[in-house]
């Protein structure tokens, strides 16, 4: 990155606009930024860093104090930087946040911070975060790296030389980002401590598992860390609990057999006692049923006697019923004739309707068929009319196309004759007629159609002729159809029967032979006449019975009902009396059987004393079984605890062994990385020493030249304090004495030379480690006042060599001798109204 042009306005000590044209500064040259103290020399570098990254370089400067206190209200505060990078030119403009007076009205307003980046392809990016990201993407480095590569700040590189090793470690950690190595160390330590914590946690879990076994002896051995012995004791304790449990279960089994035997005896007693009680209750119930059945037998005997008194009356009813049945039989024949007559009368009416419906729909269908034929005739007549019109149109068009065809043909023939006539000569025979005289030669016809036109017309005429022929044939066909339909209409009109008087529905029509149905109707009418004659020939007695039929039927039903009721009552009373007698016999037999069973059970039932002794024995055995159950439960709980403790202890022991094996590797790594090794050096210090050696090597190249080969810087190999682990101490080798000595023994000028070389070496190493990033400008801020004339000259020569062909270096200093040695200058002046750039 090379700056080409910088413009600052209302910036720091500069009240107005000030421009610096860096394009005049050639690569490989030194330029001087000179001016009195406090004039704002370093502010120029602040302008560049703020334009690029929105940050300022000084430790005491902040972004919200960048506006010049000398700037008028009308002047804006901004930085405008044009720079070149990788062959492309960019411009960036930034405005810091500051408070200014309102342009309208009274009071103040806050101007917000903003930024815009103008790219080489004329695209513009606006916004602070967007511009910051794009600048970092273009340059490939962040603000801190840019400052390290492009600025050796006032007094800071001397601090790098003289600072203590611990502070230098912090500087190198920031510069070379060795925090990652420290993170690796901490990660290894965390891993190792984590595994140790896990081991301790597992040991606590093992102890908790052992507490389940409730054995102070085992806990005492555990505290001595004899884990295998603990595990062996747990297994022995598990075997002991199992054996005790088995002994108690065997003892309980024998006791339970005795207890079950007594319980069965007691259950039998209780069951027998319940059966005796039940038998007594059953006998009482049977006694009650016996008394009840005796009363029922008495009542049924009384009811039977009352029913027997109705026998004489029932005999009279039977005689009357026989008489009524005989009368009804005689009237049955007349009734049958009447029913047949009525049924036949209905059948005759239905048959008449059936035949009438057939005749009606025969006429209806003939009428509809005639009308359909008429509609077909009308349709054909309409088609004939339409086709006749089409036929006439085709005929006219046919004649027109024929005339066109003949006209074209005549014109073609005439043209052919004219062409032949044009070739005739006197005395030469005509190829058509053979005459040698040609008194009148046919003229040549103009505008004759060509052969294709004639062929198209012939085809068109042919198509019309075909259409005309089809229309003609269709007309002939339709005429024949019309004649056929007219003849059919005349025939159908003759076949239509006379219209019936009665109208029937379509659903009344059935499919049958009309002739047969008419004959059937005639036969039914004759049969009806015969039935009427038979009815008139019946006797007067039968006719009288038929007139009183309902009354006789009613009386007959009443008498038969009474007889049925009497017979049913007699049957019911007899059956009920027999049933009660059967039940009474059954109850008496059952009661005798129950009394016999009761007597047998009472004879064998145990005495009260015997039952009491058995109950006491049963309670005693229950108490023994309860105690054994408690003891077995305790053994089971103890066994369960020991098994869980044994299982958990074995599992945790295996986990502990795996962790200890893992810790063996990670612990070695932790000790190696964190300095518990032969060199007493951690990983980050080792990396820093590598960077430090590179920086010293690069610094010594320049220091040897600036000190005329006298001084070289080395890393102090011996550690001053074992507890501090100082690995970045510097000592100076003096070629004049051939000895090494502390760097603090150098004079002020020698210290500046060494510090400058160290800072330049650090810059070279940073740039080499920055992935090929190219920064084409370097600012060196102050520090030259302590050098004598020769050292100052050597410093300038060294800086010129550092510039080489690709870098320009700006020295920020007020030393007068530098003005004489450096041609290109940027002079800053100041007065009571602020600072300004006098020339550049």
């Amino acid at each position: 990155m090379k700056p080409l042009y910088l413009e600052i306005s209302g910036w720091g000590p500069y009240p107005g606009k000030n421009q610096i044209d860096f394009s005049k500064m050639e690569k490989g040259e030194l330029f001087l930024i000179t001016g009195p103290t406090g004039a704002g020399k370093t502010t120029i570098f602040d302008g560049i860093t703020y334009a690029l990254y929105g940050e300022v370089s000084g430790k005491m400067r902040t972004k919200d104090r960048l506006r010049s206190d000398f700037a008028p209200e009308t002047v804006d505060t901004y930085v405008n930087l044009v720079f070149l990078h990788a062959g492309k030119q960019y411009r960036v403009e930034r405005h810091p946040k500051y408070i200014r007076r309102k342009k309208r009205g009274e009071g103040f307003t806050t101007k917000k911070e903003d930024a815009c980046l103008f790219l080489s392809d004329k695209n513009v990016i606006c916004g602070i975060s967007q511009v910051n990201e794009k600048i970092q993407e273009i340059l490939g480095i962040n603000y801190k790296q840019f400052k390290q590569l492009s600025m050796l700040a006032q007094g800071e590189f001397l601090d790098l030389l003289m600072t203590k090793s611990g502070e230098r470690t912090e500087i190198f950690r920031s510069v070379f980002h060795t925090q990652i190595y420290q993170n690796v160390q901490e990660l290894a330590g965390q891993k190792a401590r984590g595994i140790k914590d896990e081991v301790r946690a597992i040991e606590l879990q093992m102890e908790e598992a052992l507490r389940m076994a409730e054995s102070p002896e085992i806990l005492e051995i555990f505290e001595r860390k004899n884990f295998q012995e603990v595990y062996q004791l747990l297994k022995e304790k598990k075997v002991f609990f199992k054996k005790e449990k088995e002994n108690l279960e065997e003892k309980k089994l024998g006791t339970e057999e005795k207890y079950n035997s007594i319980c069965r005896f007691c259950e039998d007693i209780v069951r027998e006692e319940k059966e005796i009680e039940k038998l007594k209750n059953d006998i009482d119930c049977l006694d009650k049923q016996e008394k009840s059945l005796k009363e029922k037998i008495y009542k049924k005997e009384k009811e039977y006697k009352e029913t027997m008194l109705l026998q004489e009356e029932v005999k009279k009813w039977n005689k009357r019923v026989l008489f009524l049945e005989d009368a009804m039989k005689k009237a049955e024949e007349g009734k049958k004739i009447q029913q047949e007559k009525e049924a036949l009368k209905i059948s005759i009416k239905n048959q008449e309707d059936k035949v009438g419906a057939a005749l009606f729909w025969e006429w209806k269908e003939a009428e509809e068929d005639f009308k359909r034929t008429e509609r077909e005739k009308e349709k054909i007549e309409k088609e004939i009319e339409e086709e006749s019109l089409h036929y006439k149109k085709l005929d006219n068009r046919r004649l027109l196309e024929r005339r066109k065809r003949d006209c074209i043909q005549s014109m073609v023939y005439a043209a052919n004759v004219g062409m032949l006539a044009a070739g005739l000569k006197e005395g030469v025979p005509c190829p058509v007629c053979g005459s040698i005289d040609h008194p009148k030669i046919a003229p040549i016809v103009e505008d004759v159609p060509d052969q294709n036109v004639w062929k198209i017309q012939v085809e068109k005429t042919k198509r019309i002729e075909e259409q005309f022929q089809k229309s003609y044939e269709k007309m002939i066909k339709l005429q024949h159809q019309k004649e056929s339909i007219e003849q059919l209409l005349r025939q159908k009109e003759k076949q239509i029967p006379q219209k019936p008087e009665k109208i029937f529905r379509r659903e009344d029509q059935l499919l049958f032979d009309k002739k047969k149905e008419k004959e059937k109707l005639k036969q039914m009418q004759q049969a009806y006449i015969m039935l009427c004659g038979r009815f008139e020939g019946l006797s007067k007695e039968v006719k009288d019975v038929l007139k009183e039929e309902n009354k006789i039927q009613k009386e007959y039903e009443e008498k038969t009902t009474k007889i049925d009721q009497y017979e049913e009552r007699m049957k019911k009373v007899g059956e009920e009396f027999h049933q009660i007698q059967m039940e009474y016999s059954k109850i008496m037999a059952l009661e005798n059987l129950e009394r016999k069973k009761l007597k047998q059970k009472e004879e064998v039932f145990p005495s009260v004393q015997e039952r009491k002794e058995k109950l006491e024995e049963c309670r005693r055995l229950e108490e023994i079984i309860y105690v054994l159950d408690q003891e077995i439960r305790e053994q089971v709980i103890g066994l369960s605890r020991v098994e869980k403790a044994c299982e958990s202890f074995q599992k945790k022991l295996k986990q502990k062994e795996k962790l200890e094996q893992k810790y063996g590797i990670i612990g070695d790594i932790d000790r190696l990385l964190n300095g518990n090794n032969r060199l007493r050096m951690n990983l980050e210090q080792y990396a820093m020493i590598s960077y430090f050696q590179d920086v010293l090597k690069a610094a010594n190249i320049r220091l040897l030249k600036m000190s005329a080969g006298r001084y070289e810087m080395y890393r102090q190999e011996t550690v001053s304090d074992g507890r501090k682990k100082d690995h970045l101490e510097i000592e100076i080798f003096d070629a004049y004495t051939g000895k090494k000595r502390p760097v603090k023994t150098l004079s002020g000028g020698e210290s500046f030379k060494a510090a400058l070389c160290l800072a330049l070496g650090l810059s070279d190493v940073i740039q080499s480690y920055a992935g090929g990033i190219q920064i084409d400008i370097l600012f060196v801020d102050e520090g030259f006042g302590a050098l004598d004339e020769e050292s100052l000259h050597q410093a300038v020569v060294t800086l010129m060599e550092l510039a080489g062909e690709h870098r320009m270096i700006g020295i920020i200093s007020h030393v007068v001798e530098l003005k004489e040695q450096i041609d290109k200058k940027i002079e800053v002046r100041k007065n009571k109204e602020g600072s300004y750039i006098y020339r550049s």
Side-chain angles (χ1 to χ4, degrees):
M1 192 283 295
K2 177 185 177 183
L4 300 178
Y5 173 81
L6 176 67
E7 180 179 330
I8 52 179
S9 174
W11 184 264
Y14 300 96
K17 290 183 181 179
N18 289 266
Q19 298 90 17
I20 300 174
D21 189 358
F22 287 103
S23 62
K24 296 178 182 179
M25 313 294 179
E26 298 295 334
K27 289 183 179 180
E29 286 186 338
L30 299 183
F31 65 91
L32 180 66
I33 301 176
T34 185
T37 302
K41 300 186 291 297
T42 306
T43 305
I44 294 171
F45 180 73
D46 287 340
I48 294 173
T49 58
Y50 185 77
L52 292 173
Y53 294 100
E55 300 287 346
V56 291
S57 63
K59 293 180 181 178
M60 303 304 293
R61 302 183 185 96
T62 57
K63 290 199 296 183
D64 56 350
R65 297 292 299 165
L66 293 177
R67 179 168 173 81
S68 175
D69 294 334
F70 300 103
E73 297 293 338
T74 56
V75 174
D76 286 337
T77 299
Y78 65 87
V79 176
N80 189 3
L81 173 67
V82 179
F83 65 92
L84 186 70
H85 184 76
K88 294 181 181 180
Q89 185 170 307
Y90 302 88
R91 181 169 75 86
V92 60
E93 182 175 327
R94 285 188 191 261
H95 295 256
K97 178 182 176 182
Y98 64 91
I99 298 173
R100 61 172 176 81
R101 190 178 295 278
K102 292 183 178 179
K103 293 181 179 179
R104 294 181 182 179
E106 297 181 354
F108 293 87
T109 184
T110 300
K111 170 75 174 177
K112 293 183 179 179
E113 184 180 5
D114 62 356
C116 285
L117 174 63
F118 301 84
L119 304 176
S120 58
D121 58 2
K122 297 184 180 180
N123 286 330
V124 180
I125 297 174
C126 291
I128 296 170
S129 59
Q130 291 87 342
V131 170
N132 289 347
E133 289 176 5
K134 190 64 180 178
I135 288 287
Q136 190 162 334
E137 179 187 335
I138 292 168
L139 299 183
I141 53 176
N142 57 28
Y143 163 68
K144 289 184 178 180
Q145 291 171 324
F146 177 79
K147 182 185 172 186
Q148 291 165 354
L149 294 173
S150 60
M151 170 58 107
L152 300 181
Q154 180 176 351
E156 290 182 5
F157 55 89
L158 190 60
D159 290 342
L160 180 62
L161 179 69
M162 296 299 181
T163 188
K164 294 179 181 179
S165 176
E167 295 174 359
R168 190 178 292 113
T169 297
E170 291 299 322
I171 295 170
F172 270 70
R173 179 176 293 139
S174 174
V175 170
F176 293 106
H177 308 291
T178 60
Q179 183 67 37
I180 187 171
Y181 301 108
Q182 190 177 30
N183 292 343
V184 171
Q185 293 169 204
E186 291 177 358
L187 181 62
Q190 288 171 4
K191 286 280 186 182
R193 288 191 297 275
I195 293 172
K196 272 188 174 181
D197 291 342
E198 286 183 42
V199 170
R200 282 195 290 270
I202 286 174
E203 286 181 355
L204 288 173
Q205 292 171 6
M206 290 165 71
E207 186 177 356
E208 287 297 321
L210 291 178
R211 290 188 186 280
M212 288 192 295
E214 297 180 350
S215 175
E217 179 189 356
I218 293 176
L219 287 172
E220 185 180 346
I221 296 170
F222 176 78
E223 288 174 1
R224 296 200 298 268
K225 305 294 183 182
N226 195 340
F227 300 123
Q228 291 299 331
E229 186 179 350
V230 169
Y231 181 60
Q232 190 61 35
L233 284 173
L234 282 172
K235 289 197 291 185
E236 291 174 1
K237 201 167 184 64
K238 185 166 72 171
V239 172
F240 170 77
F241 274 111
K242 278 185 179 179
K243 199 171 275 187
E244 284 294 313
K245 175 176 166 284
E246 290 171 359
N247 293 335
L248 288 169
E249 285 175 345
E250 187 177 352
K251 186 176 179 181
K252 180 189 170 186
L253 185 62
T255 307
E256 282 178 341
E257 287 179 358
K258 292 180 183 178
Y259 174 76
N260 290 334
S261 176
I262 295 172
C263 284
R264 284 193 295 272
F265 175 79
C266 293
E267 287 171 1
D268 291 342
I269 291 172
V270 172
R271 187 170 57 253
E272 289 293 324
E273 192 173 8
K274 287 180 180 178
E275 288 180 1
I276 289 170
E277 187 65 28
K278 185 176 179 299
L279 284 171
K280 289 179 179 179
N281 292 333
D282 291 344
I283 290 168
D284 290 340
C285 289
L286 290 171
D287 284 338
K288 291 176 183 178
Q289 289 178 13
E290 180 187 351
K291 291 175 182 178
S292 175
L293 287 171
K294 281 181 178 179
E295 290 177 2
K296 286 181 180 179
I297 288 170
Y298 172 75
K299 288 179 181 179
K300 286 298 172 185
E301 284 178 346
K302 186 179 178 181
E303 185 179 358
Y304 181 75
K305 288 176 182 178
E306 290 174 356
T307 306
M308 290 297 291
L309 295 175
L310 296 172
Q311 279 187 346
E312 292 299 326
E313 188 69 23
V314 171
K315 288 178 182 179
K316 292 178 183 179
W317 293 345
N318 282 326
K319 287 180 182 180
R320 181 61 181 167
V321 167
L322 291 172
F323 171 77
L324 292 172
E325 284 178 350
D326 183 56
M328 287 173 67
K329 283 180 183 178
K330 290 179 180 178
E332 188 67 31
E333 185 180 355
K335 186 178 178 183
K336 186 177 180 182
I337 292 170
Q338 272 187 328
Q339 290 174 350
E340 288 179 0
K341 191 173 71 169
E342 291 298 326
L344 190 58
K345 188 177 180 180
I346 293 168
S347 298
I348 289 169
K349 186 178 183 308
N350 292 336
Q351 187 68 16
E352 287 175 349
D353 290 342
K354 185 177 180 182
V355 174
L359 293 173
F360 173 80
W361 283 104
E362 182 181 1
W363 167 82
K364 187 73 175 176
E365 287 173 359
E367 183 75 16
E368 287 178 356
D369 185 47
F370 181 77
K371 289 180 180 179
R372 279 196 299 273
T373 308
E374 280 188 331
R375 287 195 293 273
E376 288 180 10
K377 177 188 171 186
E378 290 171 0
K379 182 180 177 183
I380 290 171
E381 287 176 346
K382 188 176 180 181
E383 288 181 4
I384 290 171
E385 185 179 354
E386 290 175 355
E387 191 61 34
S388 177
L389 292 172
H390 182 58
Y391 172 79
K392 289 177 181 178
K393 287 181 183 178
L394 287 173
D395 188 33
N396 293 334
R397 189 176 173 190
R398 176 177 67 92
L399 295 174
L400 178 64
E401 295 300 330
R402 273 185 176 181
R403 285 195 292 272
K404 286 183 181 179
R405 182 195 65 188
D406 294 343
C407 181
I408 292 170
Q409 188 174 12
S410 298
M411 292 175 71
V412 170
Y413 288 162
N416 290 336
V417 171
M419 290 174 66
L420 288 172
L424 292 177
K425 294 180 180 180
E426 287 296 329
V428 179
C430 176
V432 178
C433 62
S435 175
I436 59 174
D437 294 323
H438 314 294
K440 188 176 181 180
I441 299 172
I444 296 172
V445 180
E446 295 181 356
D447 298 329
V448 179
D450 60 11
Q451 194 71 15
N452 290 332
V453 174
W454 182 76
K455 287 180 179 180
I456 290 168
Q457 187 60 38
V458 169
E459 283 295 323
K460 190 174 181 182
T461 304
K462 185 178 178 182
R463 285 196 302 273
I464 297 298
E465 289 282 356
E466 290 174 353
Q467 292 175 8
F468 174 77
Q469 184 64 29
K470 288 179 181 178
S471 178
Y472 173 75
E473 291 173 356
K474 188 175 180 181
M475 283 282 292
I476 297 300
K477 184 179 178 181
L478 290 171
Q479 281 293 33
H480 289 160
Q481 289 178 357
K482 180 182 176 184
E483 291 172 1
S484 299
I485 288 176
E486 286 176 346
Q487 185 179 357
L488 183 62
L489 276 173
R490 287 192 293 273
Q491 292 175 359
K492 288 184 177 182
E493 188 174 11
K494 292 178 182 179
Q495 294 173 357
I496 297 174
Q498 187 177 358
K499 183 178 180 181
E501 295 180 0
K502 188 176 180 180
I503 298 173
F504 291 90
R505 297 174 300 176
R506 170 66 68 180
E507 53 266 26
D508 295 332
Q509 182 186 11
L510 299 172
L511 298 175
F512 52 80
D513 188 341
K514 291 188 285 295
K515 186 176 179 182
K516 288 183 179 180
E517 294 301 322
K518 287 179 180 179
E519 184 64 30
K520 185 178 179 182
L521 176 62
K522 186 177 179 181
Q523 292 174 359
M524 290 170 69
Q525 289 171 345
Q526 291 175 355
Y528 181 76
I529 293 169
M530 290 175 67
L531 284 172
C532 289
R534 284 176 63 192
F535 184 75
E536 290 298 328
L538 292 173
S539 64
K540 185 178 179 299
E541 183 183 358
V542 174
K543 289 180 180 178
D544 292 340
V545 171
L546 287 172
K547 289 177 183 178
E548 298 292 331
E549 181 184 7
N550 292 335
K551 185 178 178 181
I552 293 169
Q553 182 69 30
K554 184 177 180 182
E555 184 183 358
Y556 175 77
E557 289 176 356
E558 288 177 354
K559 293 292 187 287
T560 53
T561 302
K562 286 181 178 181
I563 292 168
D564 290 341
Q565 288 175 351
Y566 172 77
E567 290 177 352
E568 182 69 26
R569 184 179 176 188
M570 286 293 292
K571 183 180 178 183
K572 183 180 178 183
V573 169
E575 288 177 353
E576 287 178 353
F577 183 73
H578 179 70
Q579 183 70 26
I580 293 169
Q581 283 183 331
M582 292 290 290
E583 287 182 10
Y584 180 77
S585 300
K586 187 178 178 182
I587 290 295
M588 290 302 293
L590 189 60
E591 183 178 357
N592 292 331
L593 182 63
E594 293 294 307
R595 290 184 184 279
K596 187 177 180 180
K597 285 182 181 179
L598 178 62
K599 185 177 179 182
Q600 290 174 353
K601 287 188 178 291
E602 286 177 344
E603 288 175 355
V604 297
F605 195 70
S607 64
V608 176
Q609 182 62 31
E610 189 178 356
R611 282 182 281 167
K612 186 177 179 181
E613 289 174 359
K614 290 291 183 182
L615 286 173
E616 288 177 357
E617 179 67 16
C618 188
R619 291 192 191 96
R620 187 180 66 80
L621 290 173
E622 278 181 352
E623 291 175 359
I624 293 171
I625 290 170
Y626 175 77
V627 172
L628 289 172
D629 278 337
Q630 293 297 321
E631 291 177 357
I632 290 170
R633 191 176 295 111
E634 289 174 3
Q635 295 300 319
V636 169
I637 292 169
L639 177 61
S640 175
R641 286 176 177 173
V642 171
E643 284 178 342
K644 287 180 181 178
C646 188
E647 183 182 354
S648 177
F649 186 84
Q650 184 185 17
K651 183 179 177 182
K652 299 302 178 186
L653 185 60
K654 288 180 180 178
Q655 291 177 0
K656 180 176 177 295
E657 288 171 355
K658 285 182 182 178
L659 286 172
E660 286 175 344
Q661 185 179 2
K662 186 178 179 182
Y663 179 76
I665 299 169
I666 294 176
D668 290 343
I669 294 172
D670 175 39
R671 288 188 291 274
L672 177 65
L673 297 182
N674 283 288
N676 190 4
N677 51 49
R678 182 176 57 82
L679 299 175
R680 300 179 68 243
M681 185 185 302
N682 61 38
L683 179 62
E684 185 187 22
Q685 289 169 339
Y686 182 81
M688 282 185 183
I689 288 170
S690 177
Y691 290 126
F692 191 48
Q693 295 281 26
D694 290 343
V695 170
L696 292 178
K697 185 177 179 181
N700 284 333
I701 295 171
R702 297 181 178 88
L703 183 59
L704 283 169
K705 290 183 179 179
M706 292 182 71
S707 64
R710 181 178 179 182
Y711 293 121
E712 282 184 277
M713 287 182 284
Y714 288 93
R715 183 180 73 86
Q716 186 175 330
E717 299 290 342
T718 58
V719 179
S720 59
D721 188 344
R723 293 170 297 174
K724 294 182 179 180
K725 297 186 179 179
D726 297 331
H727 292 281
L728 299 184
E729 288 290 351
I730 302 174
E731 57 184 4
I732 289 291
F733 175 75
D734 190 342
Y736 290 0
T737 62
K739 294 180 180 180
K740 294 179 181 178
R741 54 191 172 96
V743 72
K744 292 181 180 180
T745 60
L746 294 174
S747 65
E750 289 171 339
S751 296
F752 175 78
K753 291 179 190 178
L756 178 61
C757 292
L758 185 63
L760 293 174
L762 178 61
S763 177
D764 289 345
V765 172
I766 290 171
Q767 189 153 327
S768 67
Y769 278 107
I773 300 301
Q774 185 65 38
I775 302 298
D776 298 327
I777 188 166
L778 175 66
F779 290 88
V780 182
D781 190 1
E782 295 294 354
F784 295 89
L787 301 179
D788 56 24
E789 185 177 350
E790 182 182 354
S791 297
L792 185 61
H793 175 71
Q794 289 174 344
V796 171
V797 170
T798 300
L799 291 173
M800 295 222 22
E801 290 176 356
L802 175 64
E805 297 179 359
H806 304 289
R807 183 183 290 183
M808 58 183 186
I809 297 178
I811 299 174
I812 302 172
S813 180
H814 58 273
V815 176
V816 178
E817 288 79 0
L818 288 174
K819 292 182 181 181
E820 298 172 356
Q821 295 189 33
I822 300 173
D823 295 333
K824 298 289 178 70
K825 303 178 186 66
I826 298 172
E827 186 173 352
V828 181
R829 295 186 178 181
K830 71 174 181 176
N831 54 32
K832 293 181 180 180
E833 296 176 353
S835 298
Y836 61 94
I837 296 173
Y838 175 66
R839 61 183 178 181
S840 64

